[in-house]
Amino acid sequence: MSADLPGALAGDRKDDHVRLVAAQHAGGPRRNGFDDVAFLHHALAGIDADRVDLGTEVAGARWPLPFYVNAMTGGSDATGRINRDLAIAARETGVAIASGSISIALDDPSRLPSFRVIRQENPDGFVMANLGVERSPDDARRAVEVLDADALQVHLNAVQETVMPEGSRSFSRWESSLEALLAAVEVPVIVKEVGFGLSARTLSRLRALGVTLADVSGSGGTDFARVENARRAGGEYAYLAGWGQSTVECLLDAPADAPTLLASGGVRGPLDIARALALGARAVGVSGSFLTTVLDEGAEGLVARVRDWTGQLTALLALVGAASPDRLTGTDLVVRGATAEYCRARGIDVAALSRRSEPPAGAERPPSERNPE
Ligand code: FNR
């Protein structure tokens, strides 16, 4: 992500991130906010799996699958190889893919191949370029050009910058910088967090600034406060671990005037994808979990993982009676635990979520639901 560093050190930072994120995810998936959300089981709600279509509309395009490889890496030889594996898996499965922040290669063009490999391996897929919000309009145009990108992700990472030893401490110009980036590129712009969440106020503000797509990227998965703190000799920001709102909290809190929502942060498998879609996300991004898959099992392993998740997600939609991802927003959800506590504190009515499939009062019930007596 951002910060000015001499070339070699910047590449080291990207390798550090991968190493520290892998260490964070070692030991397998951990409990997070997604565990507080359950589909209310209706024993007669199911449909046939062959009626389920997982396709979704994002950024003016039809994605065959409602989940994608979210922003991660590039900038060194090792991270270039990771991008190659991620891109091969995207090509083989049809999932959309984002690069890591391209800033490092705009500052040092010798690093461009570690990003370009994404488009080379995946010439026809949906590819997103990624850049920090503080970069110039010219940088945004170049980032899109480097990848022949279908969309530009712009990341907001104030917590990470705060903990990063070489990070920025000046955030007041981010809104005006974002407006300039929005005006600079022709492709759709997706504004994203990096694992600390977008609040209701931020989402409304983004919409007012003209943003049409936002990835809430909340807490519960990869924690960049911990990653950057591990890179500090003194480790003095350990107390910021866990900062921010979980992905589930962000989705529950999203205001009516939010941009179209994508979700990421702590997604561990098909059930978390279904939960995020049911909470209103148009598609769901996965970083840490897919990174560990390619590190352990290469591109082939990620292809198998994506196919596995696709099959299971189709089965889950059939189970809850949703023929498509958007139909999940009509299913009943029960919210418990710390997430319910968050909703109480924020005045969010979770009881209404558990009754979304009920016909409105006074409406005639369909014949199958009528009691014959
Ligand atoms: C990231 N992430 C990220 N985000 C971004 O917008 N630009 C970037 O350059 C990076 N770099 C990066 C490197 C690595 C190794 C990881 C794992 C992640 C953040 C990522 O896109 C996502 O928002 C968070 O990681 C939360 O999702 P997960 O990891 O919990 O699925």
Side-chain angles (χ1 to χ4, degrees), residues 1 14 17-18 21 25 70-73 99-102 130-131 153-155 192-195 215 217-218 220-222 224 264-267 285-289 291:
M1 298 175 215
K14 301 298 171 168
H17 284 165
V18 168
V21 168
H25 287 271
N70 212 355
M72 279 188 266
T73 201
S99 73
S101 175
I102 298 186
N130 183 287
L131 204 61
Q153 288 187 333
V154 174
H155 66 253
K192 74 183 285 290
E193 242 289 349
V194 302
D215 171 359
S217 204
T222 305
F224 265 91
S264 68
V267 173
V286 186
S287 292
S289 168
L291 177 68

PDB file of all heavy atoms in Angstrom, residues 1 14 17-18 21 25 70-73 99-102 130-131 153-155 192-195 215 217-218 220-222 224 264-267 285-289 291, ligand 1:
ATOM      1  N   MET A   1       0.846  -1.178   0.000  1.00  0.00           N
ATOM      2  CA  MET A   1       0.000   0.000   0.000  1.00  0.00           C
ATOM      3  C   MET A   1       0.889   1.239   0.000  1.00  0.00           C
ATOM      4  O   MET A   1       1.962   1.185  -0.474  1.00  0.00           O
ATOM      5  CB  MET A   1      -0.952  -0.053   1.165  1.00  0.00           C
ATOM      6  CG  MET A   1      -1.859  -1.288   1.029  1.00  0.00           C
ATOM      7  SD  MET A   1      -2.946  -1.543   2.407  1.00  0.00           S
ATOM      8  CE  MET A   1      -3.005  -3.294   2.491  1.00  0.00           C
ATOM      9  N   LYS A  14       6.565  -5.834   0.681  1.00  0.00           N
ATOM     10  CA  LYS A  14       5.540  -6.702   0.093  1.00  0.00           C
ATOM     11  C   LYS A  14       5.781  -8.163   0.503  1.00  0.00           C
ATOM     12  O   LYS A  14       4.842  -8.900   0.790  1.00  0.00           O
ATOM     13  CB  LYS A  14       5.541  -6.573  -1.435  1.00  0.00           C
ATOM     14  CG  LYS A  14       5.275  -5.160  -1.916  1.00  0.00           C
ATOM     15  CD  LYS A  14       3.907  -4.680  -1.481  1.00  0.00           C
ATOM     16  CE  LYS A  14       3.727  -3.203  -1.767  1.00  0.00           C
ATOM     17  NZ  LYS A  14       2.343  -2.754  -1.615  1.00  0.00           N
ATOM     18  N   HIS A  17       4.683  -8.560   4.075  1.00  0.00           N
ATOM     19  CA  HIS A  17       3.224  -8.662   4.215  1.00  0.00           C
ATOM     20  C   HIS A  17       2.769 -10.097   4.008  1.00  0.00           C
ATOM     21  O   HIS A  17       1.991 -10.630   4.796  1.00  0.00           O
ATOM     22  CB  HIS A  17       2.523  -7.742   3.203  1.00  0.00           C
ATOM     23  CG  HIS A  17       2.560  -6.297   3.594  1.00  0.00           C
ATOM     24  ND1 HIS A  17       2.269  -5.281   2.705  1.00  0.00           N
ATOM     25  CD2 HIS A  17       2.853  -5.687   4.767  1.00  0.00           C
ATOM     26  CE1 HIS A  17       2.381  -4.122   3.332  1.00  0.00           C
ATOM     27  NE2 HIS A  17       2.733  -4.341   4.574  1.00  0.00           N
ATOM     28  N   VAL A  18       3.278 -10.711   2.943  1.00  0.00           N
ATOM     29  CA  VAL A  18       2.857 -12.084   2.644  1.00  0.00           C
ATOM     30  C   VAL A  18       3.253 -13.016   3.791  1.00  0.00           C
ATOM     31  O   VAL A  18       2.451 -13.830   4.263  1.00  0.00           O
ATOM     32  CB  VAL A  18       3.481 -12.558   1.311  1.00  0.00           C
ATOM     33  CG1 VAL A  18       3.305 -14.051   1.124  1.00  0.00           C
ATOM     34  CG2 VAL A  18       2.849 -11.795   0.140  1.00  0.00           C
ATOM     35  N   VAL A  21       1.103 -12.197   6.925  1.00  0.00           N
ATOM     36  CA  VAL A  21      -0.299 -12.607   6.760  1.00  0.00           C
ATOM     37  C   VAL A  21      -0.396 -14.133   6.835  1.00  0.00           C
ATOM     38  O   VAL A  21      -1.294 -14.680   7.485  1.00  0.00           O
ATOM     39  CB  VAL A  21      -0.888 -12.081   5.425  1.00  0.00           C
ATOM     40  CG1 VAL A  21      -2.229 -12.744   5.123  1.00  0.00           C
ATOM     41  CG2 VAL A  21      -1.042 -10.565   5.471  1.00  0.00           C
ATOM     42  N   HIS A  25      -2.656 -16.413   9.464  1.00  0.00           N
ATOM     43  CA  HIS A  25      -3.689 -17.383   9.089  1.00  0.00           C
ATOM     44  C   HIS A  25      -3.281 -18.825   9.413  1.00  0.00           C
ATOM     45  O   HIS A  25      -4.077 -19.740   9.197  1.00  0.00           O
ATOM     46  CB  HIS A  25      -4.026 -17.246   7.605  1.00  0.00           C
ATOM     47  CG  HIS A  25      -4.828 -16.005   7.298  1.00  0.00           C
ATOM     48  ND1 HIS A  25      -6.198 -15.964   7.330  1.00  0.00           N
ATOM     49  CD2 HIS A  25      -4.437 -14.745   6.998  1.00  0.00           C
ATOM     50  CE1 HIS A  25      -6.627 -14.751   7.037  1.00  0.00           C
ATOM     51  NE2 HIS A  25      -5.570 -13.978   6.830  1.00  0.00           N
ATOM     52  N   ASN A  70      -9.523 -10.909  -3.947  1.00  0.00           N
ATOM     53  CA  ASN A  70      -9.399  -9.484  -3.626  1.00  0.00           C
ATOM     54  C   ASN A  70      -7.934  -9.047  -3.617  1.00  0.00           C
ATOM     55  O   ASN A  70      -7.022  -9.862  -3.658  1.00  0.00           O
ATOM     56  CB  ASN A  70     -10.066  -9.197  -2.278  1.00  0.00           C
ATOM     57  CG  ASN A  70     -10.675  -7.804  -2.236  1.00  0.00           C
ATOM     58  OD1 ASN A  70     -10.531  -7.015  -3.172  1.00  0.00           O
ATOM     59  ND2 ASN A  70     -11.365  -7.504  -1.155  1.00  0.00           N
ATOM     60  N   ALA A  71      -7.742  -7.730  -3.510  1.00  0.00           N
ATOM     61  CA  ALA A  71      -6.413  -7.125  -3.628  1.00  0.00           C
ATOM     62  C   ALA A  71      -5.407  -7.756  -2.679  1.00  0.00           C
ATOM     63  O   ALA A  71      -5.680  -7.936  -1.497  1.00  0.00           O
ATOM     64  CB  ALA A  71      -6.510  -5.638  -3.325  1.00  0.00           C
ATOM     65  N   MET A  72      -4.224  -8.053  -3.211  1.00  0.00           N
ATOM     66  CA  MET A  72      -3.158  -8.548  -2.340  1.00  0.00           C
ATOM     67  C   MET A  72      -1.793  -8.006  -2.692  1.00  0.00           C
ATOM     68  O   MET A  72      -1.248  -7.178  -1.980  1.00  0.00           O
ATOM     69  CB  MET A  72      -3.147 -10.070  -2.304  1.00  0.00           C
ATOM     70  CG  MET A  72      -4.175 -10.634  -1.347  1.00  0.00           C
ATOM     71  SD  MET A  72      -4.035 -12.392  -1.113  1.00  0.00           S
ATOM     72  CE  MET A  72      -5.177 -12.993  -2.318  1.00  0.00           C
ATOM     73  N   THR A  73      -1.237  -8.430  -3.829  1.00  0.00           N
ATOM     74  CA  THR A  73       0.209  -8.242  -3.841  1.00  0.00           C
ATOM     75  C   THR A  73       0.798  -7.924  -5.205  1.00  0.00           C
ATOM     76  O   THR A  73       0.091  -7.656  -6.183  1.00  0.00           O
ATOM     77  CB  THR A  73       0.870  -9.474  -3.165  1.00  0.00           C
ATOM     78  OG1 THR A  73       2.152  -9.137  -2.723  1.00  0.00           O
ATOM     79  CG2 THR A  73       0.858 -10.701  -4.079  1.00  0.00           C
ATOM     80  N   SER A  99      -5.437  -6.790  -8.334  1.00  0.00           N
ATOM     81  CA  SER A  99      -3.996  -6.766  -8.032  1.00  0.00           C
ATOM     82  C   SER A  99      -3.808  -6.163  -6.647  1.00  0.00           C
ATOM     83  O   SER A  99      -4.735  -5.595  -6.074  1.00  0.00           O
ATOM     84  CB  SER A  99      -3.265  -5.895  -9.053  1.00  0.00           C
ATOM     85  OG  SER A  99      -3.544  -4.525  -8.816  1.00  0.00           O
ATOM     86  N   GLY A 100      -2.598  -6.251  -6.120  1.00  0.00           N
ATOM     87  CA  GLY A 100      -2.241  -5.441  -4.968  1.00  0.00           C
ATOM     88  C   GLY A 100      -1.989  -4.021  -5.436  1.00  0.00           C
ATOM     89  O   GLY A 100      -2.029  -3.726  -6.642  1.00  0.00           O
ATOM     90  N   SER A 101      -1.714  -3.128  -4.502  1.00  0.00           N
ATOM     91  CA  SER A 101      -1.483  -1.726  -4.860  1.00  0.00           C
ATOM     92  C   SER A 101      -0.334  -1.606  -5.858  1.00  0.00           C
ATOM     93  O   SER A 101       0.770  -2.107  -5.623  1.00  0.00           O
ATOM     94  CB  SER A 101      -1.156  -0.929  -3.608  1.00  0.00           C
ATOM     95  OG  SER A 101      -0.829   0.384  -3.999  1.00  0.00           O
ATOM     96  N   ILE A 102      -0.609  -0.907  -6.957  1.00  0.00           N
ATOM     97  CA  ILE A 102       0.389  -0.779  -8.035  1.00  0.00           C
ATOM     98  C   ILE A 102       1.362   0.372  -7.778  1.00  0.00           C
ATOM     99  O   ILE A 102       2.337   0.557  -8.513  1.00  0.00           O
ATOM    100  CB  ILE A 102      -0.338  -0.638  -9.397  1.00  0.00           C
ATOM    101  CG1 ILE A 102      -1.169  -1.895  -9.669  1.00  0.00           C
ATOM    102  CG2 ILE A 102       0.623  -0.432 -10.553  1.00  0.00           C
ATOM    103  CD1 ILE A 102      -1.813  -1.954 -11.033  1.00  0.00           C
ATOM    104  N   ASN A 130      -5.351  -1.796  -8.384  1.00  0.00           N
ATOM    105  CA  ASN A 130      -5.531  -1.266  -7.020  1.00  0.00           C
ATOM    106  C   ASN A 130      -4.507  -0.166  -6.741  1.00  0.00           C
ATOM    107  O   ASN A 130      -3.341  -0.284  -7.123  1.00  0.00           O
ATOM    108  CB  ASN A 130      -5.365  -2.421  -6.020  1.00  0.00           C
ATOM    109  CG  ASN A 130      -5.616  -1.991  -4.582  1.00  0.00           C
ATOM    110  OD1 ASN A 130      -4.811  -1.290  -3.972  1.00  0.00           O
ATOM    111  ND2 ASN A 130      -6.740  -2.411  -4.034  1.00  0.00           N
ATOM    112  N   LEU A 131      -4.995   0.889  -6.055  1.00  0.00           N
ATOM    113  CA  LEU A 131      -4.143   2.054  -5.791  1.00  0.00           C
ATOM    114  C   LEU A 131      -4.600   2.728  -4.497  1.00  0.00           C
ATOM    115  O   LEU A 131      -5.782   2.679  -4.161  1.00  0.00           O
ATOM    116  CB  LEU A 131      -4.332   3.030  -6.962  1.00  0.00           C
ATOM    117  CG  LEU A 131      -3.212   4.030  -7.251  1.00  0.00           C
ATOM    118  CD1 LEU A 131      -1.914   3.303  -7.602  1.00  0.00           C
ATOM    119  CD2 LEU A 131      -3.617   4.945  -8.392  1.00  0.00           C
ATOM    120  N   GLN A 153      -9.728  -0.327  -8.105  1.00  0.00           N
ATOM    121  CA  GLN A 153      -9.985  -0.304  -6.658  1.00  0.00           C
ATOM    122  C   GLN A 153      -9.124   0.803  -6.049  1.00  0.00           C
ATOM    123  O   GLN A 153      -7.911   0.854  -6.307  1.00  0.00           O
ATOM    124  CB  GLN A 153      -9.568  -1.618  -6.004  1.00  0.00           C
ATOM    125  CG  GLN A 153     -10.441  -2.812  -6.302  1.00  0.00           C
ATOM    126  CD  GLN A 153     -10.016  -4.018  -5.459  1.00  0.00           C
ATOM    127  OE1 GLN A 153      -8.856  -4.135  -5.060  1.00  0.00           O
ATOM    128  NE2 GLN A 153     -10.943  -4.920  -5.204  1.00  0.00           N
ATOM    129  N   VAL A 154      -9.752   1.641  -5.225  1.00  0.00           N
ATOM    130  CA  VAL A 154      -9.005   2.674  -4.495  1.00  0.00           C
ATOM    131  C   VAL A 154      -9.117   2.334  -3.018  1.00  0.00           C
ATOM    132  O   VAL A 154     -10.235   2.232  -2.488  1.00  0.00           O
ATOM    133  CB  VAL A 154      -9.600   4.071  -4.770  1.00  0.00           C
ATOM    134  CG1 VAL A 154      -8.920   5.117  -3.894  1.00  0.00           C
ATOM    135  CG2 VAL A 154      -9.458   4.431  -6.246  1.00  0.00           C
ATOM    136  N   HIS A 155      -7.969   2.124  -2.360  1.00  0.00           N
ATOM    137  CA  HIS A 155      -8.067   1.692  -0.960  1.00  0.00           C
ATOM    138  C   HIS A 155      -7.910   2.852   0.028  1.00  0.00           C
ATOM    139  O   HIS A 155      -7.163   3.794  -0.207  1.00  0.00           O
ATOM    140  CB  HIS A 155      -7.120   0.537  -0.649  1.00  0.00           C
ATOM    141  CG  HIS A 155      -5.652   0.851  -0.720  1.00  0.00           C
ATOM    142  ND1 HIS A 155      -4.838   0.410  -1.724  1.00  0.00           N
ATOM    143  CD2 HIS A 155      -4.845   1.541   0.126  1.00  0.00           C
ATOM    144  CE1 HIS A 155      -3.602   0.808  -1.507  1.00  0.00           C
ATOM    145  NE2 HIS A 155      -3.576   1.500  -0.395  1.00  0.00           N
ATOM    146  N   LYS A 192     -12.439   0.780  -1.374  1.00  0.00           N
ATOM    147  CA  LYS A 192     -12.408  -0.307  -0.395  1.00  0.00           C
ATOM    148  C   LYS A 192     -11.589   0.035   0.830  1.00  0.00           C
ATOM    149  O   LYS A 192     -10.634   0.817   0.755  1.00  0.00           O
ATOM    150  CB  LYS A 192     -11.877  -1.597  -1.030  1.00  0.00           C
ATOM    151  CG  LYS A 192     -10.362  -1.615  -1.277  1.00  0.00           C
ATOM    152  CD  LYS A 192      -9.930  -2.904  -1.983  1.00  0.00           C
ATOM    153  CE  LYS A 192      -9.899  -4.130  -1.109  1.00  0.00           C
ATOM    154  NZ  LYS A 192      -8.809  -4.105  -0.102  1.00  0.00           N
ATOM    155  N   GLU A 193     -11.952  -0.583   1.948  1.00  0.00           N
ATOM    156  CA  GLU A 193     -11.104  -0.572   3.139  1.00  0.00           C
ATOM    157  C   GLU A 193     -10.128  -1.741   2.997  1.00  0.00           C
ATOM    158  O   GLU A 193     -10.142  -2.443   1.978  1.00  0.00           O
ATOM    159  CB  GLU A 193     -11.978  -0.740   4.407  1.00  0.00           C
ATOM    160  CG  GLU A 193     -11.931   0.431   5.385  1.00  0.00           C
ATOM    161  CD  GLU A 193     -10.598   0.571   6.138  1.00  0.00           C
ATOM    162  OE1 GLU A 193      -9.769  -0.337   6.069  1.00  0.00           O
ATOM    163  OE2 GLU A 193     -10.401   1.593   6.808  1.00  0.00           O
ATOM    164  N   VAL A 194      -9.302  -1.947   3.991  1.00  0.00           N
ATOM    165  CA  VAL A 194      -8.332  -3.045   3.900  1.00  0.00           C
ATOM    166  C   VAL A 194      -8.446  -3.979   5.108  1.00  0.00           C
ATOM    167  O   VAL A 194      -7.510  -4.666   5.468  1.00  0.00           O
ATOM    168  CB  VAL A 194      -6.893  -2.511   3.753  1.00  0.00           C
ATOM    169  CG1 VAL A 194      -6.765  -1.627   2.512  1.00  0.00           C
ATOM    170  CG2 VAL A 194      -6.450  -1.748   4.995  1.00  0.00           C
ATOM    171  N   GLY A 195      -9.644  -4.000   5.744  1.00  0.00           N
ATOM    172  CA  GLY A 195      -9.851  -4.910   6.868  1.00  0.00           C
ATOM    173  C   GLY A 195     -10.265  -4.218   8.166  1.00  0.00           C
ATOM    174  O   GLY A 195     -10.233  -4.840   9.234  1.00  0.00           O
ATOM    175  N   ASP A 215     -16.424  -1.621  -1.286  1.00  0.00           N
ATOM    176  CA  ASP A 215     -16.163  -2.902  -0.605  1.00  0.00           C
ATOM    177  C   ASP A 215     -15.915  -2.582   0.862  1.00  0.00           C
ATOM    178  O   ASP A 215     -14.898  -1.963   1.197  1.00  0.00           O
ATOM    179  CB  ASP A 215     -14.940  -3.563  -1.259  1.00  0.00           C
ATOM    180  CG  ASP A 215     -14.427  -4.789  -0.511  1.00  0.00           C
ATOM    181  OD1 ASP A 215     -14.993  -5.143   0.545  1.00  0.00           O
ATOM    182  OD2 ASP A 215     -13.448  -5.391  -0.983  1.00  0.00           O
ATOM    183  N   SER A 217     -14.917  -4.247   3.324  1.00  0.00           N
ATOM    184  CA  SER A 217     -13.706  -4.891   3.867  1.00  0.00           C
ATOM    185  C   SER A 217     -13.500  -4.668   5.367  1.00  0.00           C
ATOM    186  O   SER A 217     -12.659  -3.870   5.790  1.00  0.00           O
ATOM    187  CB  SER A 217     -12.463  -4.462   3.077  1.00  0.00           C
ATOM    188  OG  SER A 217     -11.473  -5.468   3.238  1.00  0.00           O
ATOM    189  N   GLY A 218     -14.248  -5.417   6.135  1.00  0.00           N
ATOM    190  CA  GLY A 218     -14.235  -5.246   7.587  1.00  0.00           C
ATOM    191  C   GLY A 218     -13.267  -6.171   8.296  1.00  0.00           C
ATOM    192  O   GLY A 218     -12.523  -6.945   7.675  1.00  0.00           O
ATOM    193  N   GLY A 220     -12.079  -9.232  11.095  1.00  0.00           N
ATOM    194  CA  GLY A 220     -12.479 -10.627  11.277  1.00  0.00           C
ATOM    195  C   GLY A 220     -11.573 -11.577  10.516  1.00  0.00           C
ATOM    196  O   GLY A 220     -11.609 -12.787  10.726  1.00  0.00           O
ATOM    197  N   GLY A 221     -10.761 -11.014   9.612  1.00  0.00           N
ATOM    198  CA  GLY A 221      -9.816 -11.846   8.860  1.00  0.00           C
ATOM    199  C   GLY A 221      -8.424 -11.269   8.996  1.00  0.00           C
ATOM    200  O   GLY A 221      -7.942 -11.036  10.115  1.00  0.00           O
ATOM    201  N   THR A 222      -7.777 -10.995   7.875  1.00  0.00           N
ATOM    202  CA  THR A 222      -6.438 -10.406   7.900  1.00  0.00           C
ATOM    203  C   THR A 222      -6.483  -9.060   8.637  1.00  0.00           C
ATOM    204  O   THR A 222      -7.337  -8.232   8.365  1.00  0.00           O
ATOM    205  CB  THR A 222      -5.936 -10.188   6.458  1.00  0.00           C
ATOM    206  OG1 THR A 222      -6.002 -11.435   5.761  1.00  0.00           O
ATOM    207  CG2 THR A 222      -4.511  -9.661   6.466  1.00  0.00           C
ATOM    208  N   PHE A 224      -4.326  -5.839   9.368  1.00  0.00           N
ATOM    209  CA  PHE A 224      -3.115  -5.101   9.007  1.00  0.00           C
ATOM    210  C   PHE A 224      -2.559  -4.263  10.145  1.00  0.00           C
ATOM    211  O   PHE A 224      -1.410  -3.800  10.061  1.00  0.00           O
ATOM    212  CB  PHE A 224      -3.325  -4.279   7.726  1.00  0.00           C
ATOM    213  CG  PHE A 224      -2.851  -5.024   6.513  1.00  0.00           C
ATOM    214  CD1 PHE A 224      -3.716  -5.840   5.800  1.00  0.00           C
ATOM    215  CD2 PHE A 224      -1.520  -4.977   6.124  1.00  0.00           C
ATOM    216  CE1 PHE A 224      -3.269  -6.570   4.714  1.00  0.00           C
ATOM    217  CE2 PHE A 224      -1.059  -5.702   5.045  1.00  0.00           C
ATOM    218  CZ  PHE A 224      -1.932  -6.507   4.335  1.00  0.00           C
ATOM    219  N   SER A 264     -15.836  -7.903   1.993  1.00  0.00           N
ATOM    220  CA  SER A 264     -14.671  -8.758   2.204  1.00  0.00           C
ATOM    221  C   SER A 264     -14.204  -8.569   3.631  1.00  0.00           C
ATOM    222  O   SER A 264     -14.659  -7.660   4.336  1.00  0.00           O
ATOM    223  CB  SER A 264     -13.548  -8.417   1.216  1.00  0.00           C
ATOM    224  OG  SER A 264     -13.007  -7.146   1.488  1.00  0.00           O
ATOM    225  N   GLY A 265     -13.278  -9.433   4.046  1.00  0.00           N
ATOM    226  CA  GLY A 265     -12.753  -9.373   5.411  1.00  0.00           C
ATOM    227  C   GLY A 265     -13.235 -10.570   6.201  1.00  0.00           C
ATOM    228  O   GLY A 265     -14.391 -10.621   6.622  1.00  0.00           O
ATOM    229  N   GLY A 266     -12.359 -11.576   6.356  1.00  0.00           N
ATOM    230  CA  GLY A 266     -12.706 -12.716   7.202  1.00  0.00           C
ATOM    231  C   GLY A 266     -13.569 -13.766   6.547  1.00  0.00           C
ATOM    232  O   GLY A 266     -14.159 -14.597   7.246  1.00  0.00           O
ATOM    233  N   VAL A 267     -13.634 -13.771   5.215  1.00  0.00           N
ATOM    234  CA  VAL A 267     -14.454 -14.783   4.526  1.00  0.00           C
ATOM    235  C   VAL A 267     -13.676 -16.098   4.497  1.00  0.00           C
ATOM    236  O   VAL A 267     -12.581 -16.176   3.947  1.00  0.00           O
ATOM    237  CB  VAL A 267     -14.806 -14.309   3.097  1.00  0.00           C
ATOM    238  CG1 VAL A 267     -15.511 -15.413   2.319  1.00  0.00           C
ATOM    239  CG2 VAL A 267     -15.676 -13.057   3.177  1.00  0.00           C
ATOM    240  N   GLY A 285     -15.309 -10.630  -1.593  1.00  0.00           N
ATOM    241  CA  GLY A 285     -13.874 -10.730  -1.868  1.00  0.00           C
ATOM    242  C   GLY A 285     -13.156 -11.592  -0.835  1.00  0.00           C
ATOM    243  O   GLY A 285     -13.493 -11.581   0.349  1.00  0.00           O
ATOM    244  N   VAL A 286     -12.158 -12.319  -1.308  1.00  0.00           N
ATOM    245  CA  VAL A 286     -11.390 -13.201  -0.427  1.00  0.00           C
ATOM    246  C   VAL A 286      -9.907 -12.932  -0.653  1.00  0.00           C
ATOM    247  O   VAL A 286      -9.437 -12.992  -1.791  1.00  0.00           O
ATOM    248  CB  VAL A 286     -11.690 -14.686  -0.733  1.00  0.00           C
ATOM    249  CG1 VAL A 286     -11.003 -15.594   0.282  1.00  0.00           C
ATOM    250  CG2 VAL A 286     -13.191 -14.947  -0.773  1.00  0.00           C
ATOM    251  N   SER A 287      -9.167 -12.636   0.414  1.00  0.00           N
ATOM    252  CA  SER A 287      -7.719 -12.441   0.281  1.00  0.00           C
ATOM    253  C   SER A 287      -6.960 -13.490   1.081  1.00  0.00           C
ATOM    254  O   SER A 287      -6.409 -14.437   0.521  1.00  0.00           O
ATOM    255  CB  SER A 287      -7.314 -11.029   0.729  1.00  0.00           C
ATOM    256  OG  SER A 287      -7.812 -10.070  -0.166  1.00  0.00           O
ATOM    257  N   GLY A 288      -6.908 -13.328   2.413  1.00  0.00           N
ATOM    258  CA  GLY A 288      -6.058 -14.169   3.251  1.00  0.00           C
ATOM    259  C   GLY A 288      -6.246 -15.654   3.001  1.00  0.00           C
ATOM    260  O   GLY A 288      -5.262 -16.401   2.873  1.00  0.00           O
ATOM    261  N   SER A 289      -7.482 -16.090   2.908  1.00  0.00           N
ATOM    262  CA  SER A 289      -7.751 -17.517   2.748  1.00  0.00           C
ATOM    263  C   SER A 289      -7.228 -18.036   1.401  1.00  0.00           C
ATOM    264  O   SER A 289      -6.656 -19.130   1.325  1.00  0.00           O
ATOM    265  CB  SER A 289      -9.253 -17.742   2.897  1.00  0.00           C
ATOM    266  OG  SER A 289      -9.593 -19.013   2.494  1.00  0.00           O
ATOM    267  N   LEU A 291      -4.793 -16.594  -0.295  1.00  0.00           N
ATOM    268  CA  LEU A 291      -3.329 -16.489  -0.276  1.00  0.00           C
ATOM    269  C   LEU A 291      -2.713 -17.750   0.327  1.00  0.00           C
ATOM    270  O   LEU A 291      -1.779 -18.328  -0.232  1.00  0.00           O
ATOM    271  CB  LEU A 291      -2.888 -15.262   0.531  1.00  0.00           C
ATOM    272  CG  LEU A 291      -1.373 -15.099   0.669  1.00  0.00           C
ATOM    273  CD1 LEU A 291      -0.731 -14.774  -0.673  1.00  0.00           C
ATOM    274  CD2 LEU A 291      -1.013 -14.031   1.697  1.00  0.00           C
TER     275      LEU A 291
HETATM  276  C1  FNR B   1      -3.985  -7.120   1.291  1.00  0.00           C
HETATM  277  N1  FNR B   1      -4.974  -6.140   1.155  1.00  0.00           N
HETATM  278  C2  FNR B   1      -4.757  -5.085   0.292  1.00  0.00           C
HETATM  279  N2  FNR B   1      -5.784  -4.243  -0.015  1.00  0.00           N
HETATM  280  C3  FNR B   1      -5.602  -3.238  -0.902  1.00  0.00           C
HETATM  281  O1  FNR B   1      -6.566  -2.537  -1.196  1.00  0.00           O
HETATM  282  N3  FNR B   1      -4.371  -3.015  -1.468  1.00  0.00           N
HETATM  283  C4  FNR B   1      -3.294  -3.810  -1.196  1.00  0.00           C
HETATM  284  O2  FNR B   1      -2.212  -3.610  -1.732  1.00  0.00           O
HETATM  285  C5  FNR B   1      -3.477  -4.884  -0.277  1.00  0.00           C
HETATM  286  N4  FNR B   1      -2.437  -5.701   0.071  1.00  0.00           N
HETATM  287  C6  FNR B   1      -2.689  -6.868   0.770  1.00  0.00           C
HETATM  288  C7  FNR B   1      -1.689  -7.833   0.913  1.00  0.00           C
HETATM  289  C8  FNR B   1      -1.972  -9.063   1.505  1.00  0.00           C
HETATM  290  C9  FNR B   1      -0.880 -10.095   1.607  1.00  0.00           C
HETATM  291  C10 FNR B   1      -3.297  -9.328   1.979  1.00  0.00           C
HETATM  292  C11 FNR B   1      -3.659 -10.653   2.590  1.00  0.00           C
HETATM  293  C12 FNR B   1      -4.257  -8.362   1.895  1.00  0.00           C
HETATM  294  C13 FNR B   1      -6.246  -6.212   1.923  1.00  0.00           C
HETATM  295  C14 FNR B   1      -7.274  -7.134   1.303  1.00  0.00           C
HETATM  296  O3  FNR B   1      -7.661  -6.723   0.011  1.00  0.00           O
HETATM  297  C15 FNR B   1      -8.532  -7.248   2.198  1.00  0.00           C
HETATM  298  O4  FNR B   1      -9.170  -6.002   2.243  1.00  0.00           O
HETATM  299  C16 FNR B   1      -8.204  -7.715   3.614  1.00  0.00           C
HETATM  300  O5  FNR B   1      -7.109  -8.592   3.614  1.00  0.00           O
HETATM  301  C17 FNR B   1      -9.369  -8.422   4.301  1.00  0.00           C
HETATM  302  O6  FNR B   1      -9.706  -9.613   3.632  1.00  0.00           O
HETATM  303  P1  FNR B   1      -9.280 -11.098   4.149  1.00  0.00           P
HETATM  304  O7  FNR B   1      -7.776 -11.193   4.000  1.00  0.00           O
HETATM  305  O8  FNR B   1      -9.683 -11.181   5.578  1.00  0.00           O
HETATM  306  O9  FNR B   1      -9.977 -12.048   3.229  1.00  0.00           O
END
